[in-house]
Amino acid sequence: METTKSISGPGKSYVSKTRIGVLAVSSMGMAALAITPSYAAIASNFSLSNTSVQMLTSLPNLFMMLAGLIIGKLTATKLNLKTLTLSAAILVIIGGFLPLAFHTNFMFLLFCSCLVGLGQGACTNLSQVLISQMLPETERQSTMGLTTTFTNLGGIVFIMGGGQLAATNGWVNNYWIYLFSALILIVILTLVPMHPAAVNAANDQDTGEQIKLNKYVFFCAFWGFCTLLLNNVLNNNISLFVAEEKLGATSQAALTSTVSLIGGCYAA
């Protein structure tokens, strides 16, 4: 009976719960964009130029890259993947909640945004690792596709929700949207297994052979870089454009930012 069980792999309940947990992690992939609807209000409050206020998302992007390098090293160690994932989500929550209490210094807001970027970058990389380590091979491809959808859905919640909150009583309220990150933390804590079931087949094991990447991989990576670059230009400037052209308030800026994310959900 034990042999049959090991061959059949993990049960449906394990797979379903783990998939939901992993997709929840991927929904943190645009957490740093939550504050973009309030760019114009923040620039006005601190008497900043457009370039200066855009550092609230440009600096987190740099820390996302740093997180990718760090997570790559940490996942190669014996550190528990769930512990790493929870730590990443906590970084986003801390960086999102601190400005609610301390918001009189722009440099402190930058520091908090960097914490969010570090946690966001870690979640983005960990979601892929969790799929490969915690889900059976038959579920990986479909889950990989869904991560794009959930990343965009998470972005919609962060941007649209943050914009609506800011429209109620000032830009500081924009940061309350990070309550969504606290909800994701609970989902991770509940559904991502601390000790994953054995899902890797024998042919998935590391053979020690060096992997050679096809030239088309670098070609796709280049175009992916260009696409994300243009998308960040849109997200960083749309709220400032709406304010300068008197096209609407914070809520309208958030709405325009989410249109491209809705398209991303269908593209996935």
Side-chain angles (χ1 to χ4, degrees):
M1 292 296 293
E2 292 182 357
T3 303
T4 303
K5 184 178 180 179
S6 63
I7 294 176
S8 62
K12 290 183 179 180
S13 176
Y14 167 87
V15 172
S16 298
K17 290 180 179 179
T18 304
R19 286 189 75 185
I20 295 172
V22 171
L23 293 173
V25 175
S26 67
S27 68
M28 300 273 270
M30 293 188 180
L33 297 179
I35 197 62
T36 53
S38 296
Y39 270 178
I42 294 174
S44 176
N45 183 77
F46 291 100
S47 301
L48 297 171
S49 65
N50 292 348
T51 303
S52 297
V53 76
Q54 287 173 349
M55 292 176 66
L56 288 171
T57 49
S58 58
L59 273 182
N61 286 336
L62 293 177
F63 276 79
M64 283 181 62
M65 297 171 61
L66 177 62
L69 297 174
I70 294 174
I71 291 300
K73 296 292 184 181
L74 292 178
T75 52
T77 66
K78 294 185 180 297
L79 289 176
N80 187 275
L81 287 177
K82 181 172 183 176
T83 301
L84 287 175
T85 307
L86 289 172
S87 300
I90 289 172
L91 279 176
V92 174
I93 293 171
I94 293 174
F97 280 177
L98 282 178
L100 291 170
F102 309 100
H103 47 261
T104 57
N105 187 298
F106 181 71
M107 295 304 295
F108 183 74
L109 296 183
L110 280 179
F111 169 74
C112 293
S113 293
C114 291
L115 288 181
V116 173
L118 194 62
Q120 172 185 322
C123 285
T124 301
N125 287 275
L126 281 168
S127 64
Q128 308 303 313
V129 178
L130 293 174
I131 291 172
S132 63
Q133 297 293 322
M134 294 187 174
L135 291 174
E137 187 176 1
T138 54
E139 301 290 339
R140 293 174 194 170
Q141 186 173 354
S142 60
T143 307
M144 286 281 189
L146 284 173
T147 55
T148 303
T149 299
F150 274 77
T151 298
N152 284 281
L153 287 174
I156 291 172
V157 173
F158 278 114
I159 297 175
M160 194 67 186
Q164 293 298 323
L165 288 169
T168 59
N169 194 25
W171 63 268
V172 177
N173 280 348
N174 199 147
Y175 286 97
W176 280 111
I177 194 57
Y178 285 101
L179 283 170
F180 179 64
S181 301
L183 176 62
I184 297 301
L185 177 67
I186 296 173
V187 174
I188 296 171
L189 190 64
T190 306
L191 299 182
V192 175
M194 180 66 74
H195 303 289
V199 295
N200 291 328
N203 56 2
D204 287 340
Q205 301 302 316
D206 185 11
T207 60
E209 296 181 1
Q210 186 176 4
I211 299 176
K212 295 182 180 180
L213 295 178
N214 189 292
K215 63 180 180 180
Y216 294 108
V217 173
F218 296 99
F219 180 77
C220 292
F222 171 75
W223 283 111
F225 169 80
C226 293
T227 301
L228 289 176
L229 180 65
L230 292 174
N231 185 64
N232 283 332
V233 170
L234 170 66
N235 290 323
N236 286 349
N237 288 278
I238 192 66
S239 63
L240 297 172
F241 178 80
V242 169
E244 289 177 356
E245 299 297 325
K246 296 180 173 57
L247 299 176
T250 306
S251 58
Q252 283 73 38
L255 178 61
T256 55
S257 296
T258 58
V259 171
S260 61
L261 300 181
I262 295 173
C265 293
Y266 284 102

